[in-house]
Amino acid sequence: MSSSDKMNILIVDDRYDNLLVLESLLEHMDCNIIKATSGNEALSLMFDYDFALVLLDVQMPNMDGFETAELMRGNSKTRYVPIIFVTAISKEPSCIFAGYEKGAVDYLFKPIEPVILQSKVNVFLELYNQKRLYEDQTKLLELKIKELTKLQQDNHKLQNLSTTDGLTGVPNRRAFDNYLSMTLRNSERSKKPASLIMADIDFFKAYNDNYGHLKGDDCLIQVANSIISSVKRPLDFAARYGGEEFAVILPETTAEQAKVIAENIIEDLKELELKHEYSSVSQFVTLSLGVSEIVFAEDYSMDSFIENADKALYRAKKNGRNQVSY
Ligand SMILES: [Mg+2]
């Protein structure tokens, strides 16, 4: 143990020869002994050091041991430092109790019996050690909790980043794949239908070419938000599938019901009146949508489900755009 790790003991007596005797009795104990010859000196040392224990002479001129103890109890830094009063005066109970009222923890009587002194000091050093150990462990635990909380927050952020489309802020293709695969599993188990809408912005290339990419990005954001707000039921899930293509997964929904939702998506977007002078079907931005319902045939797969919706989308385009096909 280095001297800074060692525990400090403060010994206070107005007679220096008494201090030397005390010091020699405690010398073999593994701690730093610091001496003070008055109550005032003792108090100022307590602000500079942390003490495991104070051995405090009761009879001192100016400020006696009891007054010193009282001032210690009045200060938050020194309030809980244990005190052993060292006194030559009467062992009368009334005198001992006076010391306890000041917050004393123990008494030693002069002439000092080395074995009693050492065993009492040992008890307090052990207590102090336990307290320090406990404080260290508490600090360590707090640190670990902080680290863990930070880790959780980082994980959460990462997960959000990996499932959110950077431009529009709506779920991305990865999130779509996850949700679709979960929906298909649930649907197969419950034997309930599930439908998928694929949506594509009409003449988006012409929009981008004429208005520029910044406007194009802005258009994608508005369309994404419009689709998200059209899809209101708790289990429904809308995502950006890629480019100017969006997808909506509709658990427990037939193609008939999905068609109504797809038509709502068209209507809601129409209300936004996003100008598109380079579209041949409308003066505003419009969508073509394809709907497919999952059929649990022998060879069904997630890909065939998407393929069917894509085929329907292609038909909607071919039939003149700005419409739903299924
Ligand atoms: Mg004295």
Side-chain angles (χ1 to χ4, degrees), residues 76-92:
S76 61
K77 177 155 196 278
T78 53
R79 182 171 300 153
Y80 299 110
V81 180
I83 299 169
I84 298 178
F85 283 115
V86 184
T87 179
I89 58 162
S90 169
K91 295 183 188 180
E92 285 294 314

Side-chain angles (χ1 to χ4, degrees), residues 18 28 79 117 171 193 212 223 238 313:
N18 281 346
H28 71 285
R79 182 171 300 153
L117 168 74
V223 172
L313 170 60

Side-chain angles (χ1 to χ4, degrees), residues 197 230-231 233 236 250 253 257-265:
I197 300 172
S230 305
V231 175
R233 300 179 310 172
D236 297 350
L250 303 163
T253 306
Q257 294 164 325
K259 186 169 177 273
V260 175
I261 292 169
E263 273 157 2
N264 281 339
I265 290 173

Side-chain angles (χ1 to χ4, degrees), residues 190-243:
S190 66
K191 307 288 173 218
K192 284 177 181 164
S195 290
L196 175 65
I197 300 172
M198 297 298 280
D200 190 274
I201 301 177
D202 295 322
F203 300 108
F204 187 68
K205 190 181 176 311
Y207 189 97
N208 249 342
D209 290 347
N210 289 288
Y211 294 113
H213 283 282
L214 281 180
K215 279 262 184 190
D217 284 352
D218 194 47
C219 173
L220 286 170
I221 294 169
Q222 301 221 46
V223 172
N225 287 330
S226 175
I227 293 174
I228 288 280
S229 59
S230 305
V231 175
K232 296 187 190 82
R233 300 179 310 172
L235 291 179
D236 297 350
F237 181 92
R240 184 177 178 200
Y241 190 73

Side-chain angles (χ1 to χ4, degrees), residues 242-292:
E244 69 270 30
E245 207 167 345
F246 296 88
V248 182
I249 302 167
L250 303 163
E252 300 179 20
T253 306
T254 62
E256 289 286 342
Q257 294 164 325
K259 186 169 177 273
V260 175
I261 292 169
E263 273 157 2
N264 281 339
I265 290 173
I266 287 188
E267 286 307 309
D268 290 344
L269 182 62
K270 197 170 157 189
E271 274 172 27
L272 284 185
E273 300 192 343
L274 302 172
K275 225 167 112 183
H276 189 347
E277 296 155 293
Y278 307 93
S279 164
S280 342
V281 292
S282 165
Q283 53 177 325
F284 302 118
V285 172
T286 57
L287 284 167
S288 296
L289 302 100
V291 174
S292 83

Side-chain angles (χ1 to χ4, degrees), residues 281-313:
V281 292
S282 165
Q283 53 177 325
F284 302 118
V285 172
T286 57
L287 284 167
S288 296
L289 302 100
V291 174
S292 83
E293 186 184 316
I294 184 79
V295 180
F296 289 101
E298 237 170 60
D299 59 343
Y300 98 94
S301 70
M302 200 161 112
D303 287 343
S304 64
F305 190 28
I306 297 171
E307 225 175 85
N308 285 339
D310 259 339
K311 274 182 198 158
L313 170 60

